[in-house]
Amino acid sequence: MRILIAEDDYVSRKFLYKFLSTFGECDVTVDGMEAIEVFLSALEGGSYYDLICLDIMMPEVDGIKALKTIRLLEEERNLPKEKRCKIIMTTALNDPEGIFKTYELGSEAYAVKPIDTVKLVEVMTKLGLIEE
Amino acid sequence: MNEKILEHNEILDHGKDGVIVYDKDYKITYINCSACNTLGLAEKPTGQSIKDVFRLYNFYTKESYENILEVVFETEQPTGLRKETAVKTFDDNLVFISASISPIIEEQLLGAVVFFKDIVRIKNTEKELHKFRKAFEKSIESVIVTNAEWTVEYVNEKAGINYDGLIIDDNFFDVTYYDLTYDDRDRIKSVLNKKDYWIGELRSKSQRDHWYKVSIILLRDVIGQVINYVISEVDITFEKNSKKLLIQERKNLSTIVNSAPIGMMTVSEDMKVRQINDECVTVLKCPLKTNVNLYEIGSFESLDIVIELINRVKDEKKSIRNYEFTYHNQLNVVRKKRWVQAHAEPITLSGEACVLLAFEDITVKKDMARTIVRNERQLRMVTDHMHDTITQISINGDIEYCSTSYMSMLGYDAKEIRESSLYELIHKEDQEILTRMIEKCLDSKENLKFEIRFLSKSGHAVWVEVMMKYIVNDVDVSLLLFGRDVTQRRIAEQEIIQSKELAIKSNIAKSEFLANMSHEIRTPLNGIIGMANVSLMMEENKKQKDNIMMIKQSAEGLLKIINSVLDFSKIEAGKFQIEPHRFALKEEVEKILKPFEIVAENKEIELILDYDEGISEFVISDPTRLGQILTNIVGNAIKFTEFGSVKLRVEKTYETAAVQKVQFEVIDTGIGIKAANKDKIFGSFSQGDGSITRKFGGTGLGLNITKKIVEMLGGDISFDSVYGEGSVFRWSLPLRVTDQIDDESKDEIVEQDAAGVGFNILVVEDDIINQKLAHRLLSRKGYTITVVNNGQEALDAFEPGRFDLILMDIQMPVMDGLTATEKIRQMDHSGIPIIALTAYAIKGDREKFLEKGMDDYISKPIDIDEFYSTLQKHMKPKEDEDDSISNILDKLKSKKLERDDSKVLDQHFEKINMQLRYIASSISKRQFEKLEERCYAFKNYATSLQLYDLRKMIFTLEMNIRKEDENKIVFSYNEIILYVNKNSSYVLKGVEIK
């Protein structure tokens, strides 16, 4: 499994990287712009990410814009549904409205920080990324 | 011989008639003196031609008639002259003559003789006679002439008309229309015989009110025999009747005078009352009557004044009008003062100089006038001394009256503003309000109350509460305004509003601060808990694991506190939202209890669930909030229970088709709550006992939040507790029941996408079903939706720039869609698309909607494809949003430049070399954090030089650094070294990794 992480907080991304590395190969970016760039070059190289974790609040290009752009790029290439990556939004804000909006934009799940690793595993299982 | 006879005939010579004899040759052989006189000749013209002497003409036409002299010879017969023949005399006059011309024949014709007579006198007499006849004929009196036997011989025109036909030859007395008996006739005849004339008045036989003055004259001849009777007659009907009328008029007048409501009397020079009516006695209240001398009546106040008045008129010889006087009524015990208005004027009554007096009692009028003046004065006292203002204005706003209280309210003297317009006194911004209120008041005719700003003379705004009243005087409509200065109140209100706004603002600021704080706190907590988790996963050492576990638990405790504080601030700010959806209740309850089982087990207390299976499996509510309540109450119960059990009982208490009321009870055997603390349990920042906080921890917000959540879910919460024995907390919630397998499955028809993300749509629709449908369809595409119920609400919600599109129903209560559209167009000029949503789309409607300012329409029932495509058509792309995404993509794609990078590399070689040396050093020392920062800086440097290939290689290195994979780091680093060395004219130095 290939995983892409976008998280501006150093400790948080270190934690996510360490935790998620146990499930697959992780790439780490520090903002939405980097995430899109890495995602695009992977797409052009024909290797797809299975999971992307996007922090909502990030400098320059935030998680929402990154989410929209990623879905747009996938659409432009007519990527079949099953090949499209699963996106989990992470946020330190317990803001149901904002989270609901990301669903509309095409995210699959969200995790409120501090991230409950048990729940995260549950979600990943539900998304079919890992087996029980 | 004949001539000789003539010559010597003296008789002929001196006869009255003129004689001329002429022979066959027209020579005059004889002419007498009379002829010469008539013709104006001094000498006898014997021997001259008769034609030169006897010149005959028509008197009027001047035609020559001389041939008559010849005619005699031709006819040998005597002949006369024509009528109107005149002879021309030698003093140039034309003289009427009559003549006979006879031929003189003695065996043969010898000549002719003319006898002529001057007939001027006869002619004149004839003319005179004619004149009299004419006068007779045309007289306005009727004239009848009879003979001695009364047989009618002549009637003039008037008599002819009166008798309507010919009565000539009839006996006058037989045909006359006079009402005459035989005795009457005899009397007339006997008078006539004595006096030769009779004059009398006779009545018409047929019309009894017709009267004639008739005179009959008897004409006798020389010897005294009766020849004629001349009867003449004049119609005197009118004169006769006039007299009668006059008498009647007098009678009437006297009646009028007597019954008139005005006292009247006439008084003679010697002060005797000639005439008086009853009213006069009433008005003057003294015993006056006819023929009494005023001086003999006695002493009366009113009488003295009347006498004085009469004397004045007599002296001045002119009338006195509108003379007002007062007197005291002496006939009553109460000597009440009376007011009288009098007129007096001199008149002549049957040749006697008198004074006519008229009196009117005006006491009542005076009283009324005084009352009116008094009332007005009182009213004015009131209006002048009150603080409130009274204004009467016309429908145009012109001031018709205003109270003096304007002085105290606005500083204007009431006189200054009377006759001006009320608008001049109103604050500019509020003038429209006045116009609207006037219209409304005229329209409804009801009292209106509103507040409006006046302007004081010094230019300050004065808030006035106005009561506007519609009034009608006869036909004039006016508006009455009662005004009260409410400026002080307004200021106070303003202050309250401001402080309220301030409070709200600061509360919002507080909430935002808390939300931000929570974010700032959660981020490091995320690190703590995350890393603790990772460590727990990897750590083998039991002791270390315990330590890490404690870190994790502390962090989790902190998190709970933060969550409580955040919830509390959200509730305070009104941002706390309930999101109901369908879920399996029992499953949810069990899930929530699960973590507590472990806790209870550790405390060795029992945790029991008593669940009523009659409760519907699926319900609609907010499971998250329900979980929060349960967690809080059950958590508390376990926290405060050291021995025994905690029991959760869930049971249905009430049920309708749509809703089940479910009661939750948490019964513990814990420490209970002291009676004194019971009131404080649900308060903010409160726990039963301050000391408990220290022992058991917590923010003290838990129960307060719980209570609020219960209330927001439509329930209520209460508790019973006995200190030392335990507590029961119970709350019941109304839960909507649902049988539907999956609410959402239907929506799957519509593919969910993000086409509408970032767009705000205002849905104006009164029907709830349609509202829901629109909401569902729009939210599927990610649109942000605001729903209002009618046009007016749409106007209230609308602000330019707030919405990107409006869906507008046409038929709605309060304000319909077309009106709302017009008003929005007035408010907004950005051309926001407004799409009609209507069930009544028939031919021509589209044009009507477009004309009213709408952009398009969608007909109901809604066709989904049409709905989305119409929206898409009118939705302007969001510039900033789309820009940002295309900007992002542009940034990524523009990173290929058609140029040789080696020049740039050479140019900046030194700096590149230096930065690489630093990076190499960090790699050697395995300082990953520092390395990441240095790499990041280097990458930005490359970006600024547009060295995109290099940048990409640095980015790869950066990614590898984050993975802390040394092999990959070294590999990607070396790639960079190789690239720079290869593409530059120079060689990098000191960049090896040790």
Side-chain angles (χ1 to χ4, degrees):
Chain A
M1 175 165 64
R2 290 198 64 191
I3 303 163
L4 177 61
I5 298 161
E7 167 66 65
D8 63 323
D9 177 59
Y10 183 78
V11 180
S12 294
R13 70 171 177 259
K14 279 280 172 279
F15 149 65
L16 267 181
Y17 173 67
K18 285 196 171 165
F19 178 71
L20 290 175
S21 290
T22 57
F23 302 102
E25 192 194 338
C26 287
D27 287 323
V28 183
T29 56
V30 298
D31 60 44
M33 194 68 205
E34 281 194 6
I36 294 163
E37 188 178 349
V38 171
F39 173 82
L40 186 61
S41 58
L43 207 59
E44 281 164 354
S47 62
Y48 308 120
Y49 285 101
D50 301 286
L51 172 66
I52 302 177
C53 289
L54 287 172
D55 186 19
I56 289 179
M57 278 171 66
M58 286 188 292
E60 206 176 339
V61 174
D62 64 27
I64 307 274
K65 281 179 196 158
L67 170 66
K68 275 202 255 181
T69 314
I70 289 166
R71 289 300 184 214
L72 191 72
L73 289 170
E74 283 180 339
E75 207 166 304
E76 275 178 7
R77 280 161 183 72
N78 289 321
L79 220 60
K81 254 191 177 176
E82 63 277 9
K83 279 209 168 178
R84 295 185 185 184
C85 59
K86 305 282 187 260
I87 299 178
I88 298 175
M89 307 301 291
T90 63
T91 175
L93 279 179
N94 196 348
D95 167 25
E97 227 172 288
I99 290 159
F100 184 68
K101 195 172 163 189
T102 67
Y103 280 152
E104 291 166 0
L105 294 175
S107 73
E108 268 78 16
Y110 76 94
V112 177
K113 294 180 202 174
I115 290 163
D116 186 328
T117 46
V118 181
K119 274 192 182 163
L120 189 56
V121 171
E122 249 176 60
V123 170
M124 283 167 68
T125 313
K126 267 192 185 168
L127 291 175
L129 292 167
I130 48 175
E131 286 169 20
E132 278 181 69
Chain B
M1 168 225 52
N2 211 2
E3 287 156 34
K4 286 231 169 120
I5 294 165
L6 291 171
E7 253 170 74
H8 299 282
N9 194 337
E10 282 290 314
I11 303 163
L12 269 182
D13 217 12
H14 293 96
K16 270 187 175 177
D17 290 355
V19 179
I20 304 171
V21 179
Y22 62 97
D23 64 13
K24 270 170 70 182
D25 300 323
Y26 300 104
K27 273 198 182 108
I28 298 169
T29 56
Y30 173 79
I31 184 164
N32 72 352
C33 295
S34 186
C36 287
N37 285 341
T38 306
L39 293 173
L41 287 165
E43 289 173 21
K44 287 190 177 176
T46 315
Q48 285 183 34
S49 171
I50 191 167
K51 286 180 184 174
D52 295 336
V53 176
F54 199 62
R55 296 167 295 182
L56 299 171
Y57 296 95
N58 181 306
F59 184 85
Y60 301 105
T61 64
K62 313 283 188 271
E63 187 192 337
S64 174
Y65 280 168
E66 68 173 24
N67 65 338
I68 196 77
L69 301 170
E70 296 158 15
V71 170
V72 179
F73 294 146
E74 284 160 20
T75 59
E76 293 184 6
Q77 293 289 322
T79 178
L81 292 181
R82 293 190 214 179
K83 255 188 178 176
E84 289 153 9
T85 299
V87 69
K88 194 173 183 183
T89 66
F90 283 86
D91 41 18
D92 275 340
N93 284 325
L94 274 174
V95 176
F96 277 115
I97 55 166
S98 71
S100 67
I101 305 166
S102 312
I104 305 165
I105 303 165
E106 278 180 17
E107 288 169 10
Q108 60 171 354
L109 186 72
L110 296 173
V113 60
V114 180
F115 292 89
F116 70 95
K117 207 184 328 182
D118 174 353
I119 58 163
V120 172
R121 231 176 318 140
I122 297 166
K123 275 271 173 192
N124 283 344
T125 312
E126 232 173 52
K127 241 188 235 170
E128 288 289 305
L129 205 66
H130 184 74
K131 231 189 275 174
F132 284 119
R133 229 193 145 87
K134 199 95 175 181
F136 235 58
E137 192 69 42
K138 299 287 174 193
S139 168
I140 55 157
E141 297 189 9
S142 71
V143 178
I144 297 168
V145 180
T146 70
N147 61 13
E149 279 72 45
W150 293 95
T151 302
V152 176
E153 288 184 334
Y154 169 80
V155 291
N156 75 349
E157 276 182 16
K158 177 78 177 173
I161 294 163
N162 283 358
Y163 281 91
D164 195 19
L166 289 171
I167 52 168
I168 305 277
D169 296 338
D170 289 333
N171 184 290
F172 173 73
F173 286 111
D174 292 345
V175 294
T176 185
Y177 43 73
Y178 304 137
D179 187 14
L180 285 172
T181 61
Y182 284 100
D183 288 350
D184 292 336
R185 292 182 198 183
D186 291 343
R187 250 196 313 279
I188 292 171
K189 283 174 185 170
S190 92
V191 170
L192 276 170
N193 280 326
K194 269 182 229 163
K195 291 164 66 181
D196 281 3
Y197 72 89
W198 178 89
I199 296 174
E201 289 178 2
L202 294 175
R203 187 148 61 177
S204 163
K205 232 189 295 190
S206 55
Q207 290 162 288
R208 306 287 290 173
D209 55 345
H210 272 59
W211 285 87
Y212 302 95
K213 189 170 189 174
V214 181
S215 69
I216 303 172
I217 300 165
L218 191 152
L219 295 180
R220 294 175 194 273
D221 65 5
V222 201
I223 56 164
Q225 282 215 303
V226 176
I227 311 168
N228 296 109
Y229 295 102
V230 178
I231 305 139
S232 63
E233 159 212 297
V234 182
D235 187 334
I236 54 162
T237 311
F238 179 74
E239 286 84 346
K240 275 265 179 193
N241 290 343
S242 294
K243 263 182 206 163
K244 243 196 272 169
L245 274 174
L246 201 62
I247 292 160
Q248 187 63 45
E249 287 291 292
R250 276 210 190 123
K251 258 191 213 164
N252 289 348
L253 193 66
S254 132
T255 313
I256 291 169
V257 167
N258 253 325
S259 58
I262 289 171
M264 282 195 265
M265 72 171 168
T266 46
V267 178
S268 66
E269 289 257 275
D270 54 1
M271 286 297 178
K272 263 198 179 154
V273 176
R274 290 278 177 243
Q275 291 170 323
I276 185 161
N277 67 358
D278 300 343
E279 178 68 13
C280 194
V281 180
T282 315
V283 173
L284 296 176
K285 309 242 185 288
C286 70
L288 287 160
K289 48 184 176 220
T290 322
N291 289 327
V292 169
N293 192 305
L294 292 182
Y295 288 120
E296 291 161 6
I297 291 168
S299 173
F300 283 94
E301 224 179 290
S302 55
L303 193 60
D304 294 348
I305 298 164
V306 170
I307 290 167
E308 194 191 317
L309 204 59
I310 293 166
N311 285 330
R312 260 181 65 193
V313 172
K314 275 181 359 193
D315 292 349
E316 293 168 18
K317 301 225 168 357
K318 64 180 184 190
S319 52
I320 296 168
R321 301 197 152 265
N322 299 325
Y323 179 82
E324 282 181 16
F325 64 89
T326 60
Y327 72 93
H328 289 91
N329 182 3
Q330 283 158 273
L331 299 180
N332 266 10
V333 185
V334 182
R335 286 168 51 90
K336 215 188 146 200
K337 193 174 172 185
R338 310 293 309 177
W339 276 91
V340 176
Q341 188 174 49
H343 303 277
E345 56 189 293
I347 58 162
T348 306
L349 213 69
S350 319
E352 187 187 19
C354 291
V355 177
L356 171 69
L357 297 125
F359 303 99
E360 191 185 356
D361 189 324
I362 54 166
T363 312
V364 175
K365 275 189 197 169
K366 280 273 170 188
D367 284 349
M368 258 164 68
R370 255 207 321 277
T371 311
I372 289 167
V373 169
R374 202 171 51 228
N375 286 351
E376 213 264 345
R377 205 176 288 151
Q378 280 170 349
L379 198 68
R380 196 165 290 275
M381 283 269 285
V382 172
T383 57
D384 286 358
H385 291 88
M386 65 185 184
H387 291 294
D388 290 357
T389 60
I390 298 179
T391 324
Q392 185 178 320
I393 59 167
S394 71
I395 55 171
N396 301 320
D398 295 333
I399 296 174
E400 291 167 347
Y401 166 80
C402 65
S403 58
T404 51
S405 39
Y406 267 94
M407 184 74 201
S408 56
M409 189 170 88
L410 298 180
Y412 285 107
D413 193 331
K415 279 178 207 142
E416 286 181 81
I417 49 175
R418 264 175 214 163
E419 315 268 306
S420 63
S421 172
L422 184 62
Y423 282 97
E424 289 165 37
L425 304 180
I426 299 288
H427 195 285
K428 254 191 189 155
E429 291 169 22
D430 289 1
Q431 287 175 354
E432 211 188 304
I433 299 178
L434 182 64
T435 308
R436 220 169 46 232
M437 288 302 157
I438 290 175
E439 280 169 9
K440 202 172 161 188
C441 194
L442 292 175
D443 211 37
S444 68
K445 300 183 175 51
E446 281 170 11
N447 296 353
L448 284 180
K449 208 168 173 183
F450 56 94
E451 285 181 16
I452 194 166
R453 274 174 295 175
F454 277 64
L455 273 182
S456 74
K457 200 176 180 183
S458 54
H460 290 103
V462 177
W463 275 102
V464 179
E465 182 187 85
V466 176
M467 215 277 279
M468 189 185 267
K469 200 175 163 65
Y470 179 91
I471 53 168
V472 184
N473 290 329
D474 296 331
V475 287
D476 294 332
V477 173
S478 296
L479 298 169
L480 210 53
L481 281 76
F482 301 92
R484 172 168 295 179
D485 186 342
V486 292
T487 311
Q488 288 307 316
R489 199 198 73 205
R490 285 297 282 222
I491 290 170
E493 273 174 9
Q494 207 61 40
E495 278 168 1
I496 291 167
I497 290 167
Q498 270 168 4
S499 55
K500 192 181 166 196
E501 270 171 9
L502 196 72
I504 290 169
K505 264 187 204 159
S506 59
N507 210 30
I508 289 169
K510 185 185 83 184
S511 301
E512 272 172 11
F513 170 75
L514 281 169
N516 283 339
M517 274 310 288
S518 124
H519 175 260
E520 296 306 318
I521 297 166
R522 273 162 192 268
T523 303
L525 272 179
N526 185 41
I528 297 166
I529 296 169
M531 293 316 285
N533 277 331
V534 172
S535 302
L536 282 172
M537 274 161 58
M538 294 170 179
E539 186 58 56
E540 301 291 326
N541 186 322
K542 173 80 173 68
K543 231 178 182 175
Q544 291 293 337
K545 257 194 160 168
D546 281 352
N547 292 346
I548 295 167
M549 185 57 100
M550 279 170 77
I551 295 172
K552 191 188 157 188
Q553 279 169 354
S554 302
E556 280 170 351
L558 182 57
L559 185 64
K560 270 184 196 160
I561 293 166
I562 291 163
N563 284 341
S564 290
V565 171
L566 193 67
D567 277 347
F568 183 74
S569 68
K570 271 187 177 169
I571 288 170
E572 288 280 283
K575 280 186 178 173
F576 197 83
Q577 279 168 336
I578 299 294
E579 284 165 23
H581 53 87
R582 176 183 168 278
F583 64 97
L585 181 62
K586 194 181 182 192
E587 209 173 280
E588 191 70 23
V589 170
E590 283 169 344
K591 202 171 89 189
I592 293 157
L593 286 186
K594 203 150 201 122
F596 290 111
E597 280 167 13
I598 305 156
V599 185
E601 208 174 310
N602 286 343
K603 285 185 100 173
E604 295 177 35
I605 54 172
E606 257 189 299
L607 179 61
I608 309 153
L609 173 62
D610 180 0
Y611 193 89
D612 178 357
E613 296 295 337
I615 299 167
S616 169
E617 186 182 357
F618 291 99
V619 297
I620 296 173
S621 188
D622 186 335
T624 316
R625 300 303 171 197
L626 185 65
Q628 235 173 325
I629 302 165
L630 271 174
T631 306
N632 217 321
I633 302 292
V634 174
N636 268 347
I638 293 174
K639 186 155 64 173
F640 294 110
T641 304
E642 293 304 325
F643 317 101
S645 65
V646 171
K647 185 177 180 179
L648 170 61
R649 184 189 288 155
V650 185
E651 61 182 344
K652 183 171 74 185
T653 56
Y654 179 78
E655 181 175 33
T656 67
V659 174
Q660 288 186 344
K661 203 159 194 176
V662 175
Q663 178 173 276
F664 296 80
E665 264 183 321
V666 177
I667 308 142
D668 70 52
T669 57
I671 56 171
I673 299 155
K674 280 183 189 164
N677 293 327
K678 279 182 180 170
D679 291 342
K680 295 191 248 168
I681 285 297
F682 291 114
S684 311
F685 306 103
S686 136
Q687 278 181 335
D689 184 342
S691 63
I692 288 171
T693 315
R694 286 186 287 282
K695 187 181 169 192
F696 295 97
T699 54
L701 288 173
L703 281 173
N704 179 269
I705 293 167
T706 304
K707 182 172 159 53
K708 291 211 164 112
I709 295 171
V710 170
E711 283 163 4
M712 286 173 87
L713 290 174
D716 53 80
I717 186 165
S718 62
F719 72 93
D720 289 324
S721 183
V722 178
Y723 186 63
E725 288 184 16
S727 310
V728 182
F729 278 80
R730 68 175 71 81
W731 67 99
S732 51
L733 298 175
L735 302 174
R736 274 193 289 144
V737 179
T738 174
D739 293 326
Q740 276 172 291
I741 305 304
D742 195 343
D743 231 359
E744 312 240 317
S745 60
K746 272 197 285 187
D747 299 346
E748 293 302 321
I749 311 158
V750 177
E751 200 168 326
Q752 194 170 336
D753 64 38
V757 170
F759 288 104
N760 287 305
I761 294 194
L762 177 63
V763 178
V764 190
E765 165 70 69
D766 62 319
D767 182 75
I768 290 180
I769 306 283
N770 283 327
Q771 278 182 4
K772 279 192 174 162
L773 178 63
H775 195 280
R776 183 171 291 171
L777 290 174
L778 291 169
S779 57
R780 283 268 128 193
K781 297 284 180 184
Y783 290 105
T784 307
I785 307 136
T786 305
V787 180
V788 295
N789 296 308
N790 59 54
Q792 183 56 51
E793 285 183 22
L795 287 186
D796 295 341
F798 184 82
E799 291 161 28
R802 182 175 166 194
F803 300 105
D804 300 291
L805 185 139
I806 300 174
L807 282 174
M808 181 80 79
D809 189 14
I810 297 299
Q811 295 213 329
M812 285 180 293
V814 187
M815 185 191 286
D816 66 63
L818 293 177
T819 312
T821 302
E822 275 180 288
K823 299 214 169 192
I824 286 171
R825 290 293 183 222
Q826 284 164 17
M827 289 161 74
D828 174 83
H829 303 288
S830 69
I832 179 173
I834 301 179
I835 297 175
L837 202 59
T838 175
Y840 303 96
I842 52 165
K843 205 179 169 193
D845 269 2
R846 189 189 155 85
E847 284 65 32
K848 193 170 98 193
F849 299 154
L850 298 190
E851 189 193 307
K852 291 277 181 181
M854 295 186 139
D855 296 278
D856 210 334
Y857 79 94
I858 297 171
S859 58
K860 288 189 242 178
I862 292 167
D863 175 276
I864 292 168
D865 289 336
E866 185 203 343
F867 182 77
Y868 286 126
S869 65
T870 309
L871 283 190
Q872 211 66 48
K873 198 167 87 191
H874 291 283
M875 202 65 86
K876 282 185 201 157
K878 268 252 161 140
E879 282 169 19
D880 52 332
E881 287 280 333
D882 268 23
D883 259 14
S884 71
I885 289 178
S886 54
N887 274 350
I888 292 165
L889 294 171
D890 282 352
K891 267 187 194 168
L892 293 174
K893 282 166 188 166
S894 68
K895 286 175 184 173
K896 269 165 194 157
L897 280 180
E898 296 300 319
R899 67 156 203 201
D900 188 3
D901 282 352
S902 34
K903 263 190 191 167
V904 186
L905 280 171
D906 283 354
Q907 245 176 324
H908 300 89
F909 189 79
E910 275 307 314
K911 224 168 180 183
I912 292 167
N913 198 0
M914 186 215 26
Q915 291 190 61
L916 279 169
R917 278 206 298 271
Y918 274 96
I919 288 166
S921 154
S922 287
I923 294 172
S924 303
K925 292 175 185 166
R926 298 167 49 85
Q927 296 165 324
F928 295 120
E929 207 176 337
K930 199 179 240 175
L931 178 59
E932 201 179 328
E933 277 162 22
R934 284 174 173 175
C935 247
Y936 184 71
F938 186 39
K939 185 178 76 181
N940 283 346
Y941 182 69
T943 311
S944 71
L945 296 179
Q946 292 180 297
L947 293 165
Y948 294 124
D949 289 339
L950 179 62
R951 182 197 164 276
K952 198 163 188 191
M953 297 172 93
I954 301 167
F955 187 36
T956 310
L957 170 63
E958 216 182 350
M959 299 275 288
N960 287 332
I961 293 164
R962 287 173 196 153
K963 291 180 187 176
E964 297 179 15
D965 184 330
E966 280 177 66
N967 290 335
K968 280 187 177 169
I969 292 168
V970 173
F971 178 78
S972 47
Y973 175 79
N974 284 331
E975 293 270 292
I976 294 170
I977 305 296
L978 271 172
Y979 170 81
V980 176
N981 279 335
K982 190 180 152 198
N983 288 291
S984 161
S985 330
Y986 311 105
V987 179
L988 290 163
K989 281 173 192 163
V991 293
E992 308 78 26
I993 303 162
K994 282 156 196 163

